[in-house]
């Protein structure tokens, strides 16, 4: 993995036993992972009593470098050997590599990364069957019809798509969806 | 069911027996054009001049005829009822037959035109789909995410306007959608629905 100079320097400070002793290292690693996993940035994430003796600016540099490193590792789906070799190059001792990697494994699954834009994603559908008897312009309509509502979500904002259709149109819609499902199945078997 | 025509309506229609039945057929055509596209005074003037009556009489006659046809179509009254309702006006037999023929020929069309006036929700028009697989994005490499992207076209209440929605879903949600909508389709075939559809006529 390629890392910029500032990231390398920050990580070197993280691995440096003169900067962070054995008890503060896991605390810092934990704080970095936590700030990536929570949905909103917490400005006080590094304000921990165990870290009072460390220089504030250095701590911030370490935090920035570590979070960048974690994101790069997740992006490239890095395996243990890649991460270990990168950290060892930056003078991490074996114990610290182990601690870092085990926290990484636990958190990697949660960093599912729904980052990115795209069309609205359908989550659910609800339907209602109604029978139209009469309206303002015509008597004796006597026709059943459906009201379909698709609930969609796009980056947290949810929206409903509502429309009505007759039984034939619904049959058509279901037929098309079944075609799509069949093609997904065929593609998965190739 | 019988139509009850108001005094004013009967007055308007009273000029119809004074003209040829073929002219009444012509008036019927003008009335339908009115429903479809609105009318212009020139047509009335032309007809008034040819028949030697006032423009107002022609207009009232056409509008009366149109209202009669509209009300009959709205309630889908049977032909017998229609003839009985028209009998009240005291027209000749031939005129009644002409009116009945007009009604028979145009009932479906009038109902279709009237149904466009109803407030309606967007209704399903078309669905297009495609299967995509995301292999990478700016923040993540080496992904494998199948998605089904769809374009749903709905027709709005005005003629010819379509709204388009681009939507996405994953394969498991797609299967859930299919099973839910199939349950919806089955609902209209249950004995409960059939009983209601049969009995409310």
């Amino acid at each position: 993995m390629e890392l910029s100079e500032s990231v390398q320097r920050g990580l070197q400070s993280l691995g440096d036993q003169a900067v962070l002793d054995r008890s503060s290292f896991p605390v810092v690693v934990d704080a970095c992972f936590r700030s990536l996993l929570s949905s909103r940035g917490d400005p006080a994430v590094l304000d921990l009593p165990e870290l009072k003796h460390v220089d504030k600016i250095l701590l911030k540099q370490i935090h920035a470098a570590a979070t960048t490193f974690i994101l790069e590792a997740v992006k490239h789906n890095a395996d243990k050997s890649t991460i270990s070799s990168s950290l060892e190059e930056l003078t991490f001792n074996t114990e610290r590599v182990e601690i870092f990697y085990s926290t990484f494994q636990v958190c990697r699954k949660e960093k599912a990364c729904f980052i990115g834009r795209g069309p609205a994603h359908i989550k659910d559908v609800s339907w209602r069957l109604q029978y139209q008897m009469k309206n303002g312009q015509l008597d004796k309509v006597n026709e059943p019809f459906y009201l379909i509502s698709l609930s969609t979500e796009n980056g947290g904002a949810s929206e409903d798509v509502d429309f009505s259709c007759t039984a034939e149109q619904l049959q058509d819609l279901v037929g098309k969806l079944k075609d799509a499902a069949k093609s997904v199945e065929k593609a998965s078997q190739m | 069911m019988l139509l009850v025509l108001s005094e004013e309506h009967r007055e308007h229609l009273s000029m119809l027996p004074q003209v040829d039945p073929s002219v009444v057929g012509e008036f019927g055509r003008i009335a339908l054009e009115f429903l479809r596209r609105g009318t212009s005074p020139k047509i009335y003037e032309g007809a008034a001049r040819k028949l030697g009556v006032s423009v107002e009489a022609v207009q009232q006659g056409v509008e009366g005829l149109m209202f009669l046809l509209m009300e009959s179509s709205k309630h889908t009254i049977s032909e017998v009822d229609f003839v009985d309702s028209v009998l009240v006006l005291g027209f000749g037999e031939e005129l009644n037959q002409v009116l009945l023929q007009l009604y028979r020929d145009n009932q479906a069309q009038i109902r279709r035109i009237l149904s466009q006036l109803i407030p309606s929700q967007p209704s399903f028009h078309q669905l297009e789909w495609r299967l995509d697989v995301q292999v990478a994005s700016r923040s993540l490499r080496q992904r494998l995410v199948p998605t089904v992207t769809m374009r749903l076209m709905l027709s709005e209440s005005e003629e010819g306007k379509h709204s388009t929605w681009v939507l996405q879903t994953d394969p498991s949600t797609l299967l859930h959608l299919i099973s839910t909508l199939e349950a919806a389709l089955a609902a209209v075939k249950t004995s409960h629905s059939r009983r209601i559809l049969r009995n409310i006529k």
Side-chain angles (χ1 to χ4, degrees), chain A residues 31-45:
Chain A
C32 296
F33 277 98
R34 232 178 323 122
S35 54
L36 279 176
L37 291 172
S38 65
S39 53
R40 268 183 308 154
D42 177 14
V45 70

Side-chain angles (χ1 to χ4, degrees), chain B residues 99-117:
Chain B
L99 289 174
L100 182 61
Q101 192 59 32
L102 265 177
Y103 176 56
R104 233 187 258 143
D105 291 338
N106 296 306
Q107 185 197 26
Q109 215 175 47
I110 296 178
R111 277 182 77 84
R112 216 183 3 252
I113 296 175
L114 286 177
S115 67
Q116 289 171 9
L117 292 171

